[in-house]
Each structure stands twice: as C-alpha cells, then as structure tokens.
Amino acid sequence: MPPLIAVFAGLAAVDITAVAAGWPVLEWLSKPLLAPVLALHLWFTTGRRHAAVLAGLGFAAAGDIALLLPGAGAFAVGLGFFLGAQICWTAAFVRAGAVAHLRSHRSLCVGYLAAWSAAVVVLAPALGPGMALALTLYSLALVVMAGTAHTMGRRAAWGGAVFVASDLLIGLGAAGVDFAGRSLLVMPTYTIALFLLVTAFTADAVRTVQAGGRAAVPSSAAVPIVSSADRRAGRAK
C-alpha cells in the first residue's frame, strides 16, 4: 500500500470514529487532511498531468473545512466549494474522453438523469425555495460527474456512484427524511468515493511502474509524506 494511501486510510478511520463518538475536536484534526493527502498521492504519482483533479481536491478540502462550521451560511459555502470540485472532476473526465464514451452509452445518461429527476421531485418540496434550487443545481453537477466518470473504468464509475449515494444521504437528512444509521453512513461513503476517484487516475501510472516501465514522475513518487447535522456540516462526517 502506498504510504499516502495508508495515511489517508488512517485519517478516514479516525474521522469516522470521531463522528460516531461525537468528538468534534478529533474531526477537526482529521477531516480537513483527507483530500489534501489524496492530492499529494496523486501529485507524487502522476505529477501535473491531472491538474483538474488536484484542483477538485482543493475545493473538496475547502468544502470540508467550511462545513465543519455550524449554520446555514457555512453549509451554503461548503456546497459552493463542492460544486467547484464536481466541475473540476467532470472536466478531467471530459478530457479523458467522456463525451465520446457517453455518446455510445446513452442509456447511462438516461439512468443518471432519471435518478436525479426522481430525487429532486421527492426532496425539493420539503426544502425552502433557496435550498431546493441550490441542491438541485449541485446534484445535477454531481450526477454529471458520476456519469462522465465511467470513461475511466469501473473504479472511477463506482467512485462517482458512491459519491452520489453519500450526498443523497445528506439530501435526505436536509429534507427531514431519516433512518437509523443514515448520518453515520455519510462519512464512510464519502471517503470511499474520494479514494476510488483519485486512484482511478493513478492506476495507470502504478501499473506502468510495476511493469518496470518509466514512471510518470521522477523518484519523488516513492517518497513517503507523511464533513449542521450532516457530513458537510461536520457532524455526519
């Protein structure tokens, strides 16, 4: 296991434990580092080849920090940062050939848009007009990212789908729909989604190195370096 992935796994375990136990200080010490650690792993593995993915991780880190703070204002700011993350990741997948891929897999587009429409129809009436509009726009960007992720293979496709599931759990909570364990599922699904999305971009570089080929980056790739009531508000993540 790459050192930074081990660090990420450790931080995720600490943050999930903090959320379950209700230890906000421990959340502040772990959650803001999740996306940056993955960004370091991506950069050491592939260099600047995936600048849009790195930028998306920067937005995610800022969103995680903003949404550790209480209040609707912090939630709105965090939502904006994560919107930026989805746009960056979508751009990366488009650059990887997502448009051509989706043209030959139109049923995939139909499926994601149908799921998005159903969620909006069910959840929006329970939200205020402003929140309903914001979450509708954000969730559209989210499903677009998840759909375009398929161009990078199964790992990225699962990453996009799990990200949708994680944010759906948050949307259910915002709409007043709750069930046992809902909030506790948000953080694990979020970290799994981040891991899958990022490692989809490093997989090719790792395979090249393991096959004895030329690494995407020099030897620095081998240097170890050492999310209100829901994930994005800091207590469900």
Side-chain angles (χ1 to χ4, degrees), residues 145-146 149 154-164 189 192-197:
M145 181 280 292
R154 291 184 179 181
R155 183 186 295 259
W158 276 109
V162 175
F163 212 121
V164 171
T189 51
I192 289 170
L194 281 182
F195 169 78
L196 291 173
L197 289 172

Side-chain angles (χ1 to χ4, degrees), residues 86 112 115-116 119 123 138-139 142-143 145-146 157-173 177 179 181-194 196-197 230-232 237:
Q86 306 305 341
Y112 268 111
W116 169 76
L123 299 180
Y138 170 75
S139 59
L142 174 63
V143 297
M145 181 280 292
W158 276 109
V162 175
F163 212 121
V164 171
S166 181
D167 281 0
L168 178 59
L169 291 169
I170 297 172
L172 289 171
V177 180
F179 55 86
R182 178 196 60 80
S183 62
L184 294 178
L185 288 172
V186 177
M187 191 62 200
T189 51
Y190 173 62
T191 54
I192 289 170
L194 281 182
L196 291 173
L197 289 172
D230 283 302
R231 172 204 3 136
R232 302 288 161 71
K237 276 196 178 182

Side-chain angles (χ1 to χ4, degrees), residues 33-128:
L33 297 175
L34 291 168
V37 166
L38 282 180
L40 283 173
H41 170 68
L42 178 63
W43 187 79
F44 279 121
T45 307
T46 67
R48 300 178 181 177
R49 282 197 299 153
H50 303 301
V53 184
L54 292 169
L57 289 168
F59 277 116
D64 280 338
I65 293 171
L67 294 168
L68 278 170
L69 299 170
F75 185 86
V77 171
L79 192 66
F81 280 129
F82 275 98
L83 175 61
Q86 306 305 341
I87 293 172
C88 287
W89 294 331
T90 297
F93 292 130
V94 168
R95 183 183 179 186
V99 174
H101 181 81
L102 291 178
R103 281 175 179 169
S104 60
H105 296 80
R106 296 184 180 180
S107 60
L108 181 64
C109 299
V110 172
Y112 268 111
L113 289 177
W116 169 76
S117 299
V120 169
V121 169
V122 172
L123 299 180
L127 303 168

